[in-house]
């Protein structure tokens, strides 16, 4: 391996995976998933290699192989798995995206479509409705779904099989669609992704929890019945962990084996136990409940899932969405659906002081849009083993809010000649403004070949390029009254007040200052 | 290359019973989260003890014969064998210290 690495000729991260990981096989023989191997009392004397007591594989794509040992063929050897920059990928892999109309769902659909996947997806357009309900809009205009599908076909040659439905309220429809498509991987983006939205009032809190938790629970039962061999890539969030003040590392969902509990002169390995969660809103609680439901489903039914704890996402760019204005993905900047970097860039563009909540020393993990797409592809390419539940922390770095504000100010001022002011406002959330933060995020780079490509300054530059276009700038102006937060965790009803305005930040223009 | 040997019903006799050095076998499963978490540590121990101790991993779902012979009731189960004879057995995730204590029994 070392020699290969030196030659820059590293094997793909999934080259050595076998049919045991592959969604294209049916397992037959003694697939004892109900017992989950907990009970092996019956002494099976006289087992031989042909016995039905063994698990054997039958390939749905290569029927000619007959019944065989699922550990014998690797992805590297199988002609159905084709080499791509993100590892071997199943030829015409059928990937279903729940929430395909959203910021991430649409971006991933085009990304996977351009890699040759057969993409299908569902959405009930609720993200459009929620944003509209708050009186806001996406500042990057997006097309209606019919137009999007048409443009994907026309510009990129990608056919997307789309079906409109609510996965919570129309479970039968989801069943039908899954039965019809038989997806080999399901990416679950179909949840309400906003902490402040869940904190507006009791109606919003119950809506978010029902929609997210029960929607996912229904999906798990459907997968059990129809596609237990398919992998579920489930979106969670780093916010499930919160920022515990003990300062202990934020492991990737479960404790590693060398994490030890010392008590009363004895020690135990905590290896494999779910780490404590400390969610930071009722939305985050819904994600924690999802984590437990998915974990249990894998345990009870041999479902296979990666639970992705995604850092705060930012950015507007992938090669596909940038091809045509009709293919653009949404970008929200309102207090409910705008993530922090996206919002800061929009604020900078219209000369609205960047708003840090409280001390501005809160630290979070972040990941650029394009890097998130890379990770998702690498996870899809490396399906978990039967019954395997694993968690990855999907982020490429961590920064304080203060650092982010200053970075946006620096790029805007230096490369776009836009002077930026930063202000501190009251923090409407219940959180520690200053806290320790030690996330562990090794699995994606170490086991899945993730190499971050997006740099913070680089992506902020690309966002500024797009957001300074007059028609988009105009759309930001129209909704600037929705930037300052009004949703207090405490329930008080008022807009936050400014605590302090920092000095204007002005960098000398760079020689390559952008002039639209 | 993995330092931990993949054991099966087929090679168990040769790799474990006929081994010249003691063998520590982990009975594990794909669905077992603690087993997945033990992997890096077992690799490290296998490397550290190369030539003195063999480390093997047996998937209980794929190899029901050996799993039932050893009455595996939970994963992971660790069994230390010397000349084919089980000399120690532990169930559940182990810290490195606990694993080394077990190994020291050889």
């Amino acid at each position: 391996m070392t020699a290969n690495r030196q030659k820059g000729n590293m094997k793909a991260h999934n080259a050595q995976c076998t049919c045991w990981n592959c969604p294209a096989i049916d397992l037959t023989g003694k697939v004892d998933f109900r017992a989950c191997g907990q009970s092996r009392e019956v002494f099976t004397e006289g087992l031989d290699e042909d016995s039905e007591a063994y698990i054997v594989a039958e390939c749905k794509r290569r029927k000619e192989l007959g019944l065989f040992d699922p550990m014998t063929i690797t992805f590297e050897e199988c002609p159905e798995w084709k080499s791509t920059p993100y590892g071997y990928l199943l030829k015409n892999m059928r990937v279903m995206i729940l929430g395909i109309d959203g910021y991430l769902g649409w971006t991933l659909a085009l990304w996977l479509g351009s890699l040759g996947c057969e993409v299908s997806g569902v959405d009930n357009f609720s993200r459009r409705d929620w944003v509209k309900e708050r009186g806001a809009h996406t500042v990057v205009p997006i097309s209606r779904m019919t137009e999007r599908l048409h443009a994907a076909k026309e510009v990129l040659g990608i056919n997307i099989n789309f079906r409109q439905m609510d996965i919570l309220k129309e479970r039968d429809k989801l069943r039908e669609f899954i039965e019809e498509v038989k997806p080999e991987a399901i990416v679950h983006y179909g949840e309400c992704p906003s902490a402040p939205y869940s904190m507006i009032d009791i109606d919003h809190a119950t809506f978010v929890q029902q929609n997210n938790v029960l929607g996912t629970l229904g999906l798990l039962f459907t997968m059990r019945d129809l596609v237990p061999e398919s992998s579920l890539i489930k979106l969670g969030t780093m916010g499930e962990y919160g920022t515990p003040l003990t300062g202990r590392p934020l492991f990737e969902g479960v404790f590693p084996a060398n994490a030890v509990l010392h008590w009363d002169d004895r020690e135990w390995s905590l290896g494999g136990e779910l780490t404590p969660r400390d969610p930071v809103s009722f939305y985050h609680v819904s994600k924690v409940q999802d984590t437990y439901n998915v974990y249990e489903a894998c345990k009870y039914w041999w479902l296979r899932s990666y639970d992705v704890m995604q850092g705060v996402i930012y950015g507007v760019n992938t090669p596909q969405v940038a091809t045509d204005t009709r293919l653009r993905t949404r970008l929200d900047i309102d207090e409910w659906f705008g993530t922090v970097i996206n919002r800061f860039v929009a604020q900078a563009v219209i000369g609205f002081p960047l708003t840090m909540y409280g001390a501005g020393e809160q630290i979070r993990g972040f990941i650029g849009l394009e890097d998130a797409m890379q990770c998702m592809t690498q996870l899809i390419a490396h399906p978990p083993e039967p019954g395997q539940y694993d968690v990855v922390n999907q982020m490429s770095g961590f920064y304080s809010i203060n650092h982010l504000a200053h970075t946006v100010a620096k790029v805007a001022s230096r490369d776009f000649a836009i002077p930026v002011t930063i202000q501190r406002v009251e923090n409407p959330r219940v959180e520690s403004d200053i806290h320790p933060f030690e996330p562990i995020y090794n699995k994606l780079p170490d086991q899945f070949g993730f190499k971050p490509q997006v740099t913070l300054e680089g992506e902020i530059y690309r966002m500024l390029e797009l957001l300074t276009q007059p028609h988009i700038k105009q759309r930001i102006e129209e909704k600037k009254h929705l930037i300052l937060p009004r949703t207090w965790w405490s329930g008080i009803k008022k807009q936050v007040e400014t605590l302090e305005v920092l000095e204007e930040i002005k960098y000398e223009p760079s020689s390559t200052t952008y002039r639209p | 290359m993995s330092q931990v040997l993949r054991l099966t019903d087929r090679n168990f006799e040769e790799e474990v019973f006929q081994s010249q050095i003691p063998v520590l076998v982990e009975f594990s499963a794909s669905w077992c989260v603690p087993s997945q978490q033990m992997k890096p540590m077992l690799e490290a121990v296998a490397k550290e003890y190369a030539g003195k101790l063999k480390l093997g991993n047996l998937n209980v779902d794929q190899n029901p014969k050996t799993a039932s012979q050893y009455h595996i009731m939970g994963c992971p189960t660790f069994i230390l064998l010397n000349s084919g004879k089980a000399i120690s057995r532990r169930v559940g995730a182990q810290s490195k210290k606990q694993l080394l204590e077990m190994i020291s029994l050889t």
Side-chain angles (χ1 to χ4, degrees):
Chain A
M1 191 168 109
T2 320
N4 277 344
R5 194 191 290 267
Q6 281 164 354
K7 282 183 212 157
N9 187 20
M10 272 285 283
K11 273 196 176 188
H13 71 285
N14 60 351
Q16 294 306 306
C17 288
T18 63
C19 304
W20 187 243
N21 296 70
C22 181
I25 59 155
D26 277 328
L27 293 174
T28 53
K30 194 169 172 61
V31 184
D32 187 15
F33 59 82
R34 278 150 309 190
C36 235
Q38 299 287 335
S39 165
R40 294 271 170 205
E41 268 189 297
V42 187
F43 184 71
T44 42
E45 205 167 3
L47 274 178
D48 58 52
E49 284 177 26
D50 305 322
S51 167
E52 284 181 2
Y54 282 93
I55 296 177
V56 283
E58 189 172 14
C59 183
K60 285 177 273 197
R61 290 177 174 233
R62 296 167 71 201
K63 292 275 184 200
E64 69 277 11
L65 293 175
L67 295 173
F68 61 100
D69 178 349
M71 299 296 284
T72 47
I73 305 172
T74 63
F75 287 4
E76 195 179 19
E77 293 157 352
C78 176
E80 291 296 312
W81 286 84
K82 297 286 175 196
S83 180
T84 77
Y86 310 104
Y88 290 89
L89 205 56
L90 201 51
K91 212 160 53 183
N92 305 321
M93 190 171 191
R94 296 188 300 275
V95 184
M96 183 178 281
I97 301 172
L98 309 181
I100 197 172
D101 187 50
Y103 174 53
L104 299 171
W106 181 246
T107 313
L108 186 65
L110 299 182
W111 179 281
L112 292 176
S114 66
L115 285 169
C117 292
E118 268 181 28
V119 179
S120 57
V122 306
D123 210 296
N124 61 350
F125 305 121
S126 47
R127 173 64 170 269
R128 296 186 191 228
D129 295 341
W130 301 325
V131 172
K132 201 168 162 190
E133 172 212 311
R134 303 319 296 163
H137 62 204
T138 161
V139 296
V140 175
I142 57 169
S143 310
R144 298 162 66 93
M145 184 50 89
T146 42
E147 181 68 10
R148 284 184 148 185
L149 297 173
H150 176 75
K153 173 77 186 138
E154 186 188 288
V155 181
L156 301 171
I158 297 169
N159 275 310
I160 296 170
N161 183 0
F162 173 75
R163 201 70 56 87
Q164 181 179 347
M165 72 182 74
D166 183 324
I167 65 166
L168 171 64
K169 294 181 188 141
E170 297 174 292
R171 223 177 286 145
D172 291 345
K173 221 168 162 182
L174 179 66
R175 276 186 99 85
E176 242 169 62
F177 196 41
I178 288 183
E179 175 96 73
E180 181 188 315
V181 172
K182 290 273 181 202
E184 290 160 318
I186 297 179
V187 176
H188 188 13
Y189 284 136
E191 297 199 348
C192 179
S194 167
Y197 191 78
S198 75
M199 299 303 291
I200 294 172
D201 55 24
I202 175 68
D203 293 332
H204 287 82
T206 49
F207 168 77
V208 170
Q209 292 209 348
Q210 273 187 21
N211 181 72
N212 292 3
V213 176
L214 303 183
T216 301
L217 191 59
L219 171 69
L220 293 169
F221 274 81
T222 306
M223 288 185 71
R224 177 195 70 173
D225 297 343
L226 301 177
V227 284
E229 69 285 0
S230 173
S231 57
L232 172 64
I233 318 289
K234 162 74 179 62
L235 255 281
T237 150
M238 287 296 291
E240 289 188 32
Y241 305 129
T243 51
L245 290 173
T246 53
R248 66 164 169 78
L250 304 179
F251 295 110
E252 306 198 60
V254 290
F255 283 111
N258 55 359
V260 169
L261 174 69
H262 284 283
W263 180 69
D264 201 19
D265 290 337
R266 287 183 288 162
E267 73 168 46
W268 293 263
S269 165
L270 290 170
E273 282 212 50
L274 294 182
T275 61
R277 265 63 173 174
D278 189 6
V280 291
S281 73
F282 290 126
Y283 150 73
H284 288 94
V285 173
S286 77
K287 290 287 189 183
V288 172
Q289 168 98 43
D290 280 342
T291 283
Y292 280 93
N293 285 342
V294 174
Y295 171 79
E296 295 303 321
C298 292
K299 193 162 82 183
Y300 305 153
W301 307 325
W302 265 29
L303 295 192
R304 28 189 112 180
S305 181
Y306 293 129
D307 205 352
V308 181
M309 299 303 131
Q310 186 173 261
V312 183
I313 188 112
Y314 65 97
V316 285
N317 206 72
T318 65
Q320 297 81 31
V321 300
T323 324
D324 190 289
T325 51
R326 294 168 299 167
L327 295 177
R328 278 282 177 197
T329 196
R330 61 182 307 119
L331 191 80
D332 296 296
I333 58 146
D334 58 90
E335 70 154 305
W336 303 278
F337 294 96
T339 53
V340 61
I341 301 180
N342 294 356
R343 202 170 58 228
F344 279 173
V345 173
Q347 286 173 267
V349 166
I350 58 166
F352 191 109
L354 312 192
T355 41
M356 303 192 300
Y357 300 172
E361 294 301 329
Q362 302 92 327
I363 306 169
R364 297 288 183 268
F366 290 86
I367 186 161
L369 185 60
E370 207 168 342
D371 281 348
M373 297 300 111
Q374 187 200 144
C375 290
M376 296 305 278
T377 313
Q378 284 154 336
L379 291 169
I380 292 167
H382 191 308
E385 297 172 19
Q388 186 185 350
Y389 169 82
D390 207 350
V391 185
V392 294
N393 289 351
Q394 181 181 274
M395 47 185 273
S396 56
F398 55 94
Y399 314 101
S400 72
I401 302 304
N402 189 31
H403 175 79
L404 295 175
H406 279 88
T407 308
V408 170
K410 175 173 155 191
V411 180
S413 147
R414 183 192 63 197
D415 300 336
F416 291 78
I418 303 171
V420 176
T421 317
I422 298 172
Q423 60 176 328
R424 292 198 306 109
V425 299
E426 290 175 294
N427 189 348
R429 304 184 173 208
V430 175
E431 64 182 12
S432 311
D433 286 3
I434 297 176
H435 58 85
F437 191 67
E438 193 184 332
I440 308 289
Y441 49 111
N442 302 330
K443 272 188 210 166
L444 277 161
D446 291 353
Q447 296 173 28
F448 297 91
F450 172 48
K451 291 189 188 75
Q453 303 291 321
V454 179
T455 62
L456 189 58
E457 287 195 20
E459 188 61 22
I460 290 171
Y461 184 94
R462 291 204 289 200
M463 293 174 80
L464 284 163
E465 259 181 329
L466 183 68
L467 269 54
T468 47
Q469 292 180 14
H471 70 292
I472 295 182
K473 193 173 168 186
Q474 173 62 29
R475 287 175 70 86
I476 301 170
E477 286 280 0
E478 282 165 17
K479 300 298 175 187
K480 66 178 179 196
H481 59 287
L482 298 174
I483 290 174
L484 273 183
R486 285 171 296 176
T487 305
W488 287 76
W489 266 227
S490 66
I492 3 167
K493 306 255 181 260
K494 65 159 199 155
Q495 194 157 70
V496 296
E497 280 170 31
T498 301
L499 300 172
E500 179 191 9
V501 179
L502 310 182
E503 245 174 79
E504 182 176 298
I505 296 169
K506 246 181 157 171
Y507 278 73
E508 283 303 308
S510 66
S511 52
T512 54
T513 296
Y514 180 79
R515 305 268 177 227
Chain B
M1 267 300 280
S2 173
Q3 303 285 317
V4 176
L5 187 70
R6 186 182 161 234
L7 296 171
T8 65
D9 283 353
R10 261 170 267 166
N11 70 6
F12 202 82
E13 165 78 30
E14 184 191 337
E15 295 288 357
V16 179
F17 291 152
Q18 294 171 24
S19 171
Q20 302 300 311
I21 52 174
V23 188
L24 178 64
V25 183
E26 182 203 24
F27 293 82
S28 71
S30 298
W31 44 262
C32 173
V33 186
S35 296
Q36 300 288 345
Q37 293 302 319
M38 292 292 298
K39 278 180 185 172
M41 187 193 289
L42 294 176
E43 287 293 339
V45 171
K47 212 169 166 186
E48 209 176 303
Y49 282 80
K52 289 179 274 185
L53 175 83
K54 196 189 274 188
L55 254 86
N57 169 288
L58 182 127
N59 183 309
V60 297
D61 296 304
Q62 294 167 349
N63 302 285
K65 184 178 171 183
T66 309
S68 62
Q69 276 169 352
Y70 283 91
H71 298 276
I72 301 303
M73 303 284 284
C75 280
T77 294
F78 290 90
I79 300 182
L80 182 65
L81 296 110
N82 203 348
S83 313
K85 194 169 162 267
I87 53 175
S88 175
R89 177 174 177 133
R90 287 186 183 203
V91 181
Q94 306 293 314
S95 67
K96 186 160 181 184
K97 187 177 155 200
Q98 289 167 322
L99 264 191
L100 297 185
E101 272 170 17
M102 196 176 173
I103 292 168
S104 71
L105 298 172
T106 55

